[in-house]
Amino acid sequence: MSFLRERPRTDGCGDLRATHVDREVTLYGWVDVRRDHGGCVFVDLRDRTGVAQVVFKPEISAETHARAGELRNEFCIGVVGRVISRGANANPKLPTGAIEVNAERLEIFSRSEAPPFPIDDETDAGETVRLQYRYLDLRRPALQRNFLTRARVARVVRETYASAGFTEIETPFLIRHTPGGARNFLVPSRQSPGRFYGLAESPQIFKQLFMVAGFDRYFQIVKCFRDEDLRQDRQPEFTQIDVEMSFVEEDDVLRASEEMIAAVWREVTGAEVPRPIPRLTYDEAMSRYGSDKPDLRFGLELVDTTEPCARSGFRVFEQAIAAGGIVKGLRLPGGATGLSRSELDGLPEVVKPYGARGVAWAKVQEDGAWQAPFAKAFSEDARRDVNARMGARPGDVLCFVADRPKVANASMGALRLAMARKFELAGAGAWAFCWITDFPLLEKSEQSGAWQACHHPFTSPRPEDLEFLETDPGRVRARAYDLVINGNEIGGGSIRIHQPDVQARVFRAIGLSDEEAREKFSFLLEAFRYGAPPHGGIAFGLDRMVALLCGVDSLRDVIAFPKTQKGACLMTDAPAPATAAQLQELHVRLKE
């Protein structure tokens, strides 16, 4: 009889406590650390639940003690023994530190070569080698905790939506290439020479078809694919929580979403999400925080100082305002002592990537006067007005950017975050939730100048703004909403267009003729001819949500087998070249 059948596992290594003393246990796992103290061999045995100390003593079993001498790190073993108290030798740093296991029997399932890096949370191994040996990297307790959290999140999501009457339905990965969104991966069809599938970037069109089909509450945890340039928070394949509902308005979608988010945060962090979650319009968020995903864990709100700066006599500000710009201010309480002159002079580097040409700064003196390179050029009356608007106090630093509204807001939003990091204003363990609503429906492309959808072309305009769709497209607001947590966009969605005439007007606004729209979205437009219900939905980034809950910066720490920034899998060496025979079978020829 095999050891596994004879001695099934009784406990996880990390589950043992003082209450288990005198109990016989069977543990399976990997040798985390081995210590030979002459008479006894000590092994820290590790599995996904944690670590337990196992002691091999010759007086308990000479044979087992002798075999323990063979053990090395990462050997995979099974142990049978009795739990005893460590008494005064307890290790308070370990959850299992009050006990140890006196081993009576040892089974070595497999031996291990010396791993290329320590299987430890504090490993200094580079990411390249860890991704190459990802199966070893995934043994590290920190990463295992991340994936146990991910599993808990997925379970709660399913339970919450199922209990609310949602139906989980799968959508296809191999679809028709859909232009207008993110770039699709193309997959050649062997059975249809010269034709290609696209890997679905999202289930967007299919979930709308579910609404036409009468499944009025749908959800899915689904893999999505985007052939885009990668960065720390983007992967070519990612997972989203996809939701769609019929016969709803914005409040219905947001309320269902808040139920799910509250359940997840309660399960993972124990924190209660305040409901209803506060809402900010897009215009409010940009004006007050310079971002459509503001971090609300701290203040530092931006202040519009355009009016007093326009009469200040300071030519840099006045010229920017005359050209259609604004002046945005940011007050840094106590910044006069917290920021050195070199740090103040380095502020332009913070805003440079966002298009601003510089940052003007002023230290507020006891009498309200400014110590600033431009102080003499700024009128006393305008200075007093700016101080009043910004709530300036002696010892504060006031920062200003004068530019086009989009540049000024984005630049000051970035400066706000940089100063929050500098002064550690975001409290550890704090959570700040908000909805951003009323986004612009359309925006002009910086490359072509043509109007394009801010979200996607199926997003419904606000009914009261429809009259401006042809005459003033930039004025039209979308029935769209994003959920933002601690400055991270976690999810986004909208009420969809279900009327064919409105959909046709939006297509024309982004430059799609009726013929082009039929060519690209024929099956959706055809479906809308057969009684499409009012509907709306949302999608949440599961990877990003789990990363936030785990407190990690990179999505690669919560995706089991991630890709590098060049889209490569270092473990499997994908993507790999195809053979001539494979290409011929797919009717594909490579360019020389």
Side-chain angles (χ1 to χ4, degrees):
M1 182 181 293
S2 74
F3 184 88
L4 295 173
R5 185 175 301 174
E6 180 189 350
R7 304 301 308 222
R9 174 162 46 191
T10 61
D11 300 273
C13 296
D15 295 334
L16 298 180
R17 298 292 186 271
T19 54
H20 294 98
V21 168
D22 289 333
R23 176 174 156 186
E24 185 178 82
V25 296
T26 302
L27 307 178
Y28 297 150
W30 286 262
V31 175
D32 193 57
V33 177
R34 172 188 173 276
R35 302 177 298 278
D36 192 336
H37 289 182
C40 299
V41 175
F42 292 82
V43 164
D44 289 345
L45 188 63
R46 182 191 71 242
D47 66 8
R48 66 179 176 86
T49 65
V51 172
Q53 179 168 284
V54 181
V55 187
F56 297 87
K57 300 177 179 177
E59 62 268 25
I60 292 178
S61 171
E63 179 185 359
T64 298
H65 175 263
R67 293 201 71 196
E70 305 173 27
L71 298 179
R72 297 294 182 270
N73 287 7
E74 300 312 312
F75 275 33
C76 184
I77 65 174
V79 170
V80 178
R82 192 163 298 278
V83 180
I84 65 169
S85 172
R86 293 179 66 174
N89 295 319
N91 182 354
K93 296 180 180 179
L94 283 179
T96 59
I99 58 89
E100 60 189 16
V101 176
N102 271 345
E104 300 167 0
R105 186 171 171 186
L106 168 65
E107 182 78 10
I108 299 176
F109 296 125
S110 61
R111 298 166 186 267
S112 173
E113 298 179 9
F117 53 85
I119 311 301
D120 188 86
D121 284 351
E122 304 302 321
T123 181
D124 57 0
E127 188 176 53
T128 297
V129 69
R130 289 192 290 107
L131 289 180
Q132 183 180 354
Y133 297 93
R134 184 63 167 180
Y135 43 85
L136 295 180
D137 196 33
L138 288 171
R139 285 187 191 172
R140 294 195 298 126
L143 260 65
Q144 294 208 338
R145 287 192 294 270
N146 291 350
F147 287 96
L148 293 173
T149 297
R150 184 181 178 114
R152 291 165 67 194
V153 170
R155 173 180 57 79
V156 173
V157 167
R158 285 193 164 93
E159 290 173 350
T160 304
Y161 280 124
S163 65
F166 285 77
T167 304
E168 184 171 8
I169 317 175
E170 294 181 344
T171 50
F173 290 155
L174 294 174
I175 64 169
R176 180 189 173 100
H177 166 64
T178 53
R183 190 202 311 268
N184 289 115
F185 285 99
L186 291 179
V187 181
S189 171
R190 177 183 59 81
Q191 296 169 315
S192 301
R195 291 180 172 265
F196 295 81
Y197 298 104
L199 287 181
E201 61 161 300
S202 82
Q204 180 62 48
I205 293 178
F206 292 95
K207 68 179 181 179
Q208 291 190 255
L209 293 175
F210 285 149
M211 300 302 105
V212 177
F215 295 97
D216 60 326
R217 288 194 160 205
Y218 142 91
F219 86 99
Q220 182 184 189
I221 299 178
V222 59
K223 189 73 74 177
C224 302
F225 307 87
R226 295 182 182 178
D227 186 10
E228 296 180 326
D229 294 334
L230 305 184
R231 60 188 185 212
Q232 196 171 39
D233 63 345
R234 181 180 288 168
Q235 283 280 299
E237 48 184 332
F238 59 96
T239 306
Q240 70 182 35
I241 304 164
D242 204 48
V243 181
E244 198 77 5
M245 306 167 67
S246 290
F247 310 111
V248 293
E249 294 192 330
E250 289 89 334
D251 285 349
D252 302 295
V253 180
L254 270 53
R255 193 159 43 243
S257 301
E258 290 178 6
E259 288 292 328
M260 182 273 289
I261 291 295
V264 167
W265 253 255
R266 188 183 305 116
E267 166 73 17
V268 176
T269 71
E272 286 296 329
V273 175
R275 287 178 286 167
I277 290 174
R279 302 181 191 183
L280 289 171
T281 67
Y282 172 84
D283 288 342
E284 288 174 327
M286 295 303 296
S287 176
R288 293 168 58 186
Y289 303 103
S291 171
D292 60 2
K293 48 182 181 181
D295 191 337
L296 303 184
R297 289 176 294 174
F298 51 90
L300 295 188
E301 289 195 25
L302 309 183
V303 179
D304 192 319
T305 60
T306 306
E307 192 278 325
C309 288
R311 52 180 169 79
S312 66
F314 184 38
R315 286 201 312 168
V316 173
F317 286 178
E318 291 182 350
Q319 289 173 353
I321 295 167
I326 61 173
V327 180
K328 268 300 178 59
L330 174 67
R331 180 175 76 93
L332 302 177
T337 55
L339 291 167
S340 66
R341 178 59 187 261
S342 62
E343 287 175 316
L344 290 169
D345 290 341
L347 295 180
E349 292 302 312
V350 177
V351 302
K352 190 175 180 180
Y354 302 89
R357 287 168 289 184
V359 175
W361 57 266
K363 294 182 179 180
V364 182
Q365 308 299 297
E366 286 296 329
D367 59 357
W370 289 354
Q371 179 189 340
F374 62 95
K376 292 182 179 179
F378 210 92
S379 74
E380 289 290 319
D381 180 65
R383 176 184 57 75
R384 283 193 292 269
D385 198 344
V386 169
N387 281 352
R389 289 175 184 236
M390 299 185 68
R393 298 288 183 269
D396 293 347
V397 165
L398 309 181
C399 300
F400 305 92
V401 166
D403 216 308
R404 291 177 291 117
K406 184 176 182 179
V407 171
N409 283 326
S411 299
M412 290 300 276
L415 186 62
R416 173 181 180 267
L417 293 179
M419 292 300 98
R421 289 191 293 271
K422 161 72 178 174
F423 294 107
E424 299 180 345
L425 299 181
W431 299 105
F433 302 78
C434 71
W435 289 105
I436 306 299
T437 65
D438 296 337
F439 286 85
L441 181 74
L442 306 172
E443 62 184 353
K444 279 195 172 182
S445 166
E446 294 185 1
Q447 287 75 36
S448 66
W451 289 104
Q452 59 187 15
C454 288
H455 281 65
H456 55 66
F458 312 112
T459 299
S460 176
R462 291 189 65 86
E464 61 268 33
D465 293 346
L466 265 174
E467 61 179 296
F468 307 114
L469 191 55
E470 287 80 16
T471 58
D472 191 2
R475 186 173 173 179
V476 181
R477 293 166 297 168
R479 299 180 69 182
Y481 31 80
D482 282 357
L483 179 62
V484 176
I485 305 175
N486 290 4
N488 298 272
E489 178 201 330
I490 295 300
S494 66
I495 300 299
R496 323 301 187 188
I497 300 169
H498 71 282
Q499 310 99 319
D501 59 323
V502 175
Q503 186 67 75
R505 289 175 65 186
V506 171
F507 280 152
R508 284 194 290 269
I510 61 175
L512 279 181
S513 67
D514 294 345
E515 293 75 19
E516 289 172 318
R518 279 194 297 272
E519 177 188 349
K520 295 174 178 178
F521 305 109
S522 58
F523 55 97
L524 179 65
L525 299 179
E526 179 73 11
F528 280 2
R529 296 172 56 192
Y530 298 98
H535 59 284
I538 192 168
F540 298 93
L542 178 65
D543 310 307
R544 193 170 295 180
M545 185 187 299
V546 174
L548 192 60
L549 286 164
C550 293
V552 297
D553 295 325
S554 173
L555 293 187
R556 290 192 282 272
D557 287 338
V558 296
I559 295 176
F561 298 101
K563 306 294 190 293
T564 66
Q565 286 191 325
K566 292 186 177 180
C569 174
L570 300 181
M571 184 182 69
T572 63
D573 199 25
T579 66
Q582 288 173 313
L583 294 174
Q584 184 177 9
E585 192 174 33
L586 293 171
H587 311 281
V588 172
R589 179 182 300 157
L590 299 182
K591 288 180 65 176
E592 294 295 334

